[in-house]
Amino acid sequence: MLLRGNEVMSEEARQMIEAYNDPSDQRSLSLDDTSSTEESPENTRLSLETSNDAIPYIGQRFLTHDAAYEFYSEFAKRCGFSIRRHRTEGKDGVGKGLTRRYFVCHRAGNTPIKASNESKPQRNRKSSRCGCQAYLRISKTMELGVPEWRVTGFANHHNHELLEPNQVRFLPAYRTISESDKNRIFMFAKTGISVQQMMKLMELEKRVEPGYLPFTEKDVRNLLQSFRKVDQEDDSIDLLRMCRNIQDKDSNFKYEYTIDANNRLENIAWSYASSVQSYEIFGDAVVFDTTHRLTAFDMPLGIWVGMNNYGMPCFFGCVLLREENMRSFSWALKAFLRFMNEKPPQTILTDQNMCLKEAIAVEMPNTKHALCIWLIVAKFPSWFNAVLGERYNEWKAEFYRLYNLESIEEFELGWRDMMNSFGLHTNRHIANLFSLRTLWALPYLRSNFFAGMTTTGQSKSINAFIQRFLSAQTRLAHFVEQVAVAVDFKDQAGEQQTMQQNLQNICLKTGAPMESHAATVLTPYAFCKLQEELVLAAHYASFQMDDGSFHVRHHTKLEGGRKVIWIPREGIITCSCHQFEFSGILCRHALRVLSTGNCFQIPERYLPLRWRRINTSPTKLLQTTPNDHAERVQALQSMVSTLITESAKSRERLDMATEQISILLARIREQPVLAQGAKDLTIHKTH
């Protein structure tokens, strides 16, 4: 009897796929040799002669035992399981050799209990073995002096669920990397791209859906690890030498490293002077991406990134680790804080890594930790594509709807309905996502500042920014150089994009004094966000309540709405939607109340410094130098604003301004930077 699973993969099936990782088993299996009888030669035929032999049968004949194995393996794949070679038997006597073989279901037998060894860590891995009795037995015969193999036993009774065709391919027996694919992977590895990128490129080349390659990311990592031929010890020496050379040229370059008991490089982290300056203003929200590896060394790579006032990613630091454990992550976080003058971020976004989560709780106890939604969504194809089939895109749309809700109660009710609708009650990924919901779902995070880095557009921008650092990984030292080049390139490109944004004619849409005032203070990126809210504010009605607060709702709705509290004397305004706390941009509800209360300028505290028209270096000077210098910087800022306004009036003016500013900027960069009260930077070396 063949036991078929439902169209949606059950949790048992998925656990079985993940648990199975042992291709051989030499222990005996209780098979009844009399359960099938041997057919006479007259009633048999070679399976190679007919293509209709889809199911094994007693008396079926093969030229070799390998041919019998391949046939049974193909049959197993169609049925929803895989097989392995089991017991072999031979006759007594010299030269008789192998005379009988057993091929069994991969879930046959039971896993023996291994003796525990306290000095060696044990892997807590479930076994797929469940004592299944399905098997094929072949025996060697001699007909007219020609050896052949004949099926003498066959049973297809399984005591477990069988997989669907789109699920069985995940079993290790059917996950193969062809020679051509191996060559392609090695070529990709030489260019330095990540394993995730390799998988995406090969999916595009083979024109298959995400998650449908005949191998997984883990298979690719194992392949690359088995072919590592680089002498890491020599390369580590080159890396440290490179860092010292960089610091000799730039005393503000910072790096720290650790060495192990064998005097080998264990971990190393570094940052640049421009990164520390950027962090002073834009370090309120940080992404710590640890999902990449240097494929040539199989070393985990961590990159700290933020978002500047023009909505562009900015680099804060890098770290290379030998291991992904709490000790290594704790060291990395401590090094990062030392680079940034012990100033922790308000929020930090990471991948779903429990060791990193624990390290953040210890080293940054006052920092809000959240999970990068784009790193979670990137795993959806491998988690849910095969499980949901044609309903995958429908489910993904529902996930995003729930993700963007404001109410926690609505989210949890909607999540329950989603599980019912898509039959995902027992799916372990769904269960895990729900258990971690306070770390990624927006209804739980809106009271914390994220600088807009949870949006799809910004996540793509950050990911593209990070990919620039992964373009050359032939040597560790070369990688550090590549990061420096990428950061410098991004700084120059950022200046060009900043200038382009500032040269754009800003179109006022409401005519409100609040709008024109904000346009002179905020960067074009931040102003566009605020302008959207100002336009929408006109569609809302506000009602003052008995307690002095305001109830604001859309003019077409009689229910719902937000509660706004405004204290004019103190210039404080808050809204129950928490948009300002989340993004640093006032919401339409608060703007409606300000407009109703005859407020013609947005209060200063709601035009955050991190979204204003000011560059990193002047801001740092504002914070660290006397007031007269700050006044000069503000005067310069006013002149620049006037320059932009006048230059934007014609193409000729723009051309002249661009040419002259380029010359002036080049001359300014030639001038030395005198940091007042700067302390000598030291290298922290720990063991």
Side-chain angles (χ1 to χ4, degrees), residues 456-519:
T456 304
Q458 291 299 349
S459 67
K460 290 180 179 179
S461 174
I462 292 172
N463 190 56
F465 180 64
I466 289 174
Q467 295 308 318
R468 292 195 58 84
F469 304 144
L470 305 174
S471 59
Q473 299 181 21
T474 53
R475 300 291 302 277
L476 276 176
H478 292 173
F479 176 70
V480 175
E481 284 183 315
Q482 184 63 31
V483 172
V485 170
V487 170
D488 185 60
F489 174 84
K490 193 65 183 179
D491 286 345
Q492 294 180 30
E495 289 176 3
Q496 293 176 0
Q497 291 179 38
T498 297
M499 184 175 292
Q500 289 173 1
Q501 275 196 37
N502 288 331
L503 290 175
Q504 291 176 356
N505 287 321
I506 294 176
C507 178
L508 301 181
K509 297 180 179 180
T510 68
M514 277 194 296
E515 182 184 21
S516 56
H517 171 244

Side-chain angles (χ1 to χ4, degrees), residues 284-286 344-350 360-361 364-371 436-441 444-450:
D284 41 17
V286 173
Q346 294 178 29
T347 56
I348 187 168
L349 290 150
T350 72
I360 290 172
M364 298 179 175
N366 297 320
T367 296
K368 175 63 179 178
H369 178 214
L371 302 180
L436 296 172
R437 62 193 181 280
T438 58
L439 296 177
W440 61 264
Y444 300 90
L445 300 175
R446 292 190 184 276
S447 297
N448 302 277
F449 182 71
F450 286 93

Side-chain angles (χ1 to χ4, degrees), residues 20-54:
Y20 173 61
N21 197 27
D22 188 359
S24 63
D25 184 3
Q26 300 302 319
R27 291 172 289 105
S28 63
L29 178 70
S30 176
L31 298 174
D32 186 0
D33 290 351
T34 62
S35 62
S36 54
T37 57
E38 192 170 321
E39 296 281 332
S40 61
E42 291 78 8
N43 295 328
T44 63
R45 63 184 183 277
L46 285 174
S47 64
L48 299 177
E49 297 174 357
T50 307
S51 61
N52 295 326
D53 295 333

Side-chain angles (χ1 to χ4, degrees), residues 263-279:
N263 206 34
R264 294 182 303 176
L265 181 66
E266 187 177 34
N267 307 306
I268 183 167
W270 67 95
S271 184
Y272 305 93
S274 61
S275 301
V276 178
Q277 288 182 356
S278 295
Y279 185 84

Side-chain angles (χ1 to χ4, degrees), residues 612-668:
R612 295 193 181 196
R613 290 173 177 264
I614 193 163
N615 291 326
T616 308
S617 299
T619 306
K620 188 178 182 184
L621 289 170
L622 276 170
Q623 297 173 344
T624 58
T625 55
N627 291 333
D628 60 334
H629 189 90
E631 291 174 0
R632 292 172 61 192
V633 171
Q634 289 179 340
L636 178 61
Q637 182 186 355
S638 177
M639 292 172 62
V640 170
S641 179
T642 303
L643 173 67
I644 293 169
T645 302
E646 292 297 323
S647 301
K649 291 180 179 179
S650 71
R651 178 181 293 275
E652 290 74 16
R653 288 188 175 191
L654 273 178
D655 291 340
M656 179 185 295
T658 303
E659 179 183 354
Q660 294 301 317
I661 289 172
S662 298
I663 295 171
L664 178 62
L665 193 59
R667 292 178 59 188
I668 290 173

Side-chain angles (χ1 to χ4, degrees), residues 385-549:
N385 214 348
V387 176
L388 295 168
E390 294 180 352
R391 300 194 69 190
Y392 171 72
N393 289 330
E394 179 189 354
W395 171 84
K396 193 172 180 181
E398 176 62 10
F399 173 86
Y400 276 121
R401 187 189 72 81
L402 296 174
Y403 167 73
N404 285 294
L405 289 174
E406 288 186 11
S407 165
I408 292 176
E409 183 180 0
E410 286 183 30
F411 173 84
E412 296 189 350
L413 289 173
W415 190 271
R416 192 178 305 120
D417 293 340
M418 178 264 288
M419 288 195 299
N420 291 333
S421 176
F422 293 90
L424 295 172
H425 296 89
T426 59
N427 186 279
R428 71 183 183 91
H429 295 302
I430 287 292
N432 189 40
L433 282 172
F434 188 72
S435 68
L436 296 172
R437 62 193 181 280
T438 58
L439 296 177
W440 61 264
L442 293 188
Y444 300 90
L445 300 175
R446 292 190 184 276
S447 297
N448 302 277
F449 182 71
F450 286 93
M453 290 193 292
T454 58
T455 63
T456 304
Q458 291 299 349
S459 67
K460 290 180 179 179
S461 174
I462 292 172
N463 190 56
F465 180 64
I466 289 174
Q467 295 308 318
R468 292 195 58 84
F469 304 144
L470 305 174
S471 59
Q473 299 181 21
T474 53
R475 300 291 302 277
L476 276 176
H478 292 173
F479 176 70
V480 175
E481 284 183 315
Q482 184 63 31
V483 172
V485 170
V487 170
D488 185 60
F489 174 84
K490 193 65 183 179
D491 286 345
Q492 294 180 30
E495 289 176 3
Q496 293 176 0
Q497 291 179 38
T498 297
M499 184 175 292
Q500 289 173 1
Q501 275 196 37
N502 288 331
L503 290 175
Q504 291 176 356
N505 287 321
I506 294 176
C507 178
L508 301 181
K509 297 180 179 180
T510 68
M514 277 194 296
E515 182 184 21
S516 56
H517 171 244
T520 63
V521 177
L522 300 177
T523 63
Y525 169 81
F527 173 71
C528 286
K529 301 291 184 184
L530 180 68
Q531 190 179 51
E532 291 176 8
E533 298 298 318
L534 277 167
V535 171
L536 291 170
H539 298 268
Y540 283 74
S542 66
F543 308 91
Q544 189 162 12
M545 311 305 288
D546 294 339
D547 62 358
S549 65

